[in-house]
């Protein structure tokens, strides 16, 4: 039953798209118009009529992609991140892991990937903090497009392919950056998370303009990075993704949200109470103030109590969850929980946490 329904759906889609791109139902003498067929197949693959690579079978003709991964003491997570990056449907041209002064086994683990994969590089940045690590990685990137993900995140298998496809498409020519949704790979009720997100995206469910990027899941053109890098804040008590998003908006660069450019992050920080996470929750307001952006300051002030409520809900959802045992027990909400690592807004340099 399932196979027949899928077959019927594919056949109806093939007929409709064939008429749209002008491919005859019968191709006498074989394929005579390869370009039309490639356009059609790309449409089926990517699900967006104006969003497909110009030559999906020829990677060398497409833009190059560098992925930057800031990492500080991520020995428990970096392998999962890199396993996804080196096994993409479209090979990533350059993967730069920025070792931000790790004191655990992170450097040794990354070096194993460097030895096994010529596209992987470990770059050491001694200035602590995600801002310095991101800047070092982005400055070292040599590709047309620079993407960022976090060391505890896991991107979708076609993540790189979709990023390059977007920037090389007609729809992507007018955009400086691309971002997508983020769920939690180690949290409970993954399908529920996905369905809830789909319902709450609203008009963005089919993609569209957005004002900022999502930290574990974004990409931008290298030329744009070089244009805005000196306008970004350098302190670690702000949200690096919001700071970049506001900078892009202030300089009249457009950002596109694609719900299919997917990445999953760890829920480890969300397992702590809103009070324990207050330095992060208030980071949005500090980011707006640091930019002297009156509109953003107003928005962040309104958003702040809402965000505390949201973080309370996520704490109640994620704290009772044990990612190792894969079970949810309410009593864990009242047990002490040691933080695995500091929040990115805590400022390692000021606290001597290196």
């Amino acid at each position: 039953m399932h196979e027949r329904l899928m077959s019927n759906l594919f056949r109806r889609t093939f007929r409709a798209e064939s008429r749209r791109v002008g491919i005859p139902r019968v191709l006498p003498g074989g394929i005579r118009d390869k370009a039309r067929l490639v356009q059609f197949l790309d449409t089926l693959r990517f699900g967006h009529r104006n969003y497909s690579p110009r030559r999906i079978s020829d990677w060398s003709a497409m833009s190059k992609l560098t992925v930057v991964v800031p990492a500080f003491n991520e020995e428990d997570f970096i392998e999962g991140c890199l396993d996804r990056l080196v096994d993409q449907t479209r090979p990533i041209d350059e993967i730069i892991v920025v070792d931000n002064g790790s004191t655990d086994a992170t450097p040794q683990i990354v070096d194993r990937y460097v030895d096994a994969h010529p596209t992987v590089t470990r770059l050491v940045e001694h200035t602590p903090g995600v801002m310095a690590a991101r800047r070092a990685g982005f400055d070292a990137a040599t590709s047309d497009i620079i993407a960022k993900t976090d060391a505890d995140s896991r991107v979708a298998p076609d993540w790189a392919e979709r990023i390059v496809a977007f920037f090389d498409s007609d729809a992507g020519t007018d955009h400086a950056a691309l971002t997508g949704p983020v769920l939690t790979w180690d949290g409970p009720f993954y399908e529920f998370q996905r369905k809830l997100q789909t319902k709450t995206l609203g008009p963005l469910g089919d993609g569209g303009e957005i004002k900022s990027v999502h930290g574990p899941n974004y990409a931008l053109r290298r030329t744009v990075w070089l244009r805005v890098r000196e306008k970004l804040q350098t302190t670690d008590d702000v949200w690096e993704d919001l700071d970049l998003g506001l900078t892009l908006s202030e300089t009249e660069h457009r950002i596109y949200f694609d719900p299919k450019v997917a990445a999953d992050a760890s829920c480890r920080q969300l397992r702590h109470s809103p009070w324990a996470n207050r330095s992060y929750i208030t980071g949005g307001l500090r980011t707006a103030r640091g930019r002297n952006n009156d509109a953003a300051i107003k928005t962040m002030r309104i958003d702040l109590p809402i965000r505390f409520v949201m973080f309370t809900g996520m704490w109640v959802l994620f704290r009772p969850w044990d990612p190792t045992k894969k079970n949810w027990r309410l009593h864990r909400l009242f047990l002490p929980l040691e933080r695995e690592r500091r929040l990115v807004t805590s400022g390692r340099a000021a606290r001597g946490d290196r």
Side-chain angles (χ1 to χ4, degrees):
M1 182 68 170
H2 170 72
E3 289 80 3
R4 188 170 72 251
L5 288 172
M6 291 303 296
S7 176
N8 291 339
L9 176 62
F10 182 89
R11 184 165 59 250
R12 289 194 298 271
T13 305
F14 185 93
R15 288 175 180 171
E17 292 299 321
S18 295
R19 288 193 295 270
R20 186 184 68 79
V21 301
I23 298 177
R25 291 180 64 183
V26 178
L27 296 176
I31 299 173
R32 294 186 178 181
D33 192 340
K34 184 178 178 181
R36 282 183 174 180
L37 183 60
V38 168
Q39 179 189 0
F40 163 66
L41 293 175
D42 289 349
T43 300
L44 286 182
R45 183 183 183 114
F46 287 89
H48 195 298
R49 294 183 177 183
N50 296 316
Y51 179 173
S52 61
R54 292 191 178 97
R55 188 73 67 179
I56 189 66
S57 60
D58 185 5
W59 305 126
S60 63
M62 301 177 70
S63 295
K64 303 299 182 184
L65 173 66
T66 294
V67 176
V68 173
V69 185
F72 171 71
N73 287 353
E74 294 287 5
E75 62 182 4
D76 294 331
F77 294 94
I78 190 65
E79 288 184 89
C81 173
L82 291 176
D83 283 343
R84 291 295 186 95
L85 293 177
V86 299
D87 190 25
Q88 291 282 297
T89 57
R90 187 268 189 209
I92 297 171
D93 302 283
E94 183 179 45
I95 300 170
I96 300 176
V97 180
V98 184
D99 175 11
N100 199 205
S102 297
T103 56
D104 64 357
T106 298
Q108 291 74 29
I109 294 171
V110 174
D111 284 346
R112 291 204 299 267
Y113 284 84
V114 172
D115 293 338
H117 304 276
T119 57
V120 181
T121 302
R122 180 169 68 90
L123 175 67
V124 178
E125 172 54 51
H126 293 292
T127 303
V130 67
M131 292 296 203
R134 182 191 65 179
R135 179 181 290 260
F138 280 26
D139 285 348
T142 60
S143 300
D144 310 290
I145 305 164
I146 307 172
K148 175 189 170 288
T149 191
D150 292 339
D152 63 356
S153 297
R154 299 178 180 182
V155 301
D158 61 351
W159 185 71
E161 186 173 353
R162 288 187 176 278
I163 288 173
V164 176
F166 173 78
F167 284 108
D168 280 358
S169 70
D170 293 337
T173 55
D174 295 330
H175 291 84
L178 174 69
T179 193
V182 179
L183 297 178
T184 62
W185 60 267
D186 56 350
F189 320 123
Y190 186 85
E191 281 303 308
F192 173 75
Q193 292 182 54
R194 186 182 59 79
K195 291 178 180 179
L196 180 64
Q197 183 182 71
T198 299
K199 290 182 178 180
T200 57
L201 282 176
L204 288 176
D206 294 322
E209 296 282 331
I210 197 171
K211 294 299 183 182
S212 190
V213 296
H214 298 151
N217 185 14
Y218 69 82
L220 75 165
R221 300 183 188 276
R222 183 171 181 270
T223 53
V224 174
W225 166 251
L226 295 175
R227 224 174 283 151
V228 303
R229 65 184 297 279
E230 296 300 330
K231 302 179 185 296
L232 297 169
Q233 299 181 69
T234 57
T235 57
D236 277 328
D237 60 347
V238 301
W239 294 349
E240 62 92 9
D241 48 359
L242 177 62
D243 185 51
L244 177 59
L246 291 175
T247 303
L248 291 174
S249 295
E250 290 165 9
T251 52
E252 299 183 347
H253 289 96
R254 299 168 67 190
I255 305 169
Y256 192 85
F257 176 88
D258 181 357
K260 295 182 179 179
V261 177
D264 293 334
S266 173
C267 70
R268 55 181 171 170
Q269 302 291 32
L270 298 174
R271 300 179 69 222
H272 296 273
S273 71
W275 180 251
N277 283 334
R278 64 190 182 279
S279 72
Y280 180 81
I281 296 173
T282 56
L285 184 55
R286 287 194 300 274
T287 306
R289 285 173 175 166
R291 301 211 60 81
N292 294 315
N293 188 316
D294 292 338
I297 291 172
K298 181 179 179 180
T299 299
M300 288 296 106
R301 281 176 175 164
I302 296 172
D303 175 78
L304 190 58
I306 300 173
R307 194 164 293 274
F308 266 100
V309 172
M310 290 174 56
F311 268 71
T312 300
M314 289 187 288
W315 173 54
V316 171
L317 174 64
F318 292 123
R319 176 61 189 97
W321 174 254
D322 187 320
T324 303
K325 296 180 179 179
K326 303 294 183 183
N327 59 26
W328 193 91
R329 299 291 184 266
L330 184 61
H331 75 274
R332 294 183 184 132
L333 194 64
F334 307 100
L335 299 178
L337 179 65
E338 183 179 353
R339 193 181 290 277
E340 296 178 24
R341 57 165 297 165
R342 292 189 185 277
L343 293 165
V344 294
T345 52
S346 294
R348 279 194 285 126
R351 299 170 183 261
D353 185 10
R354 286 296 303 276

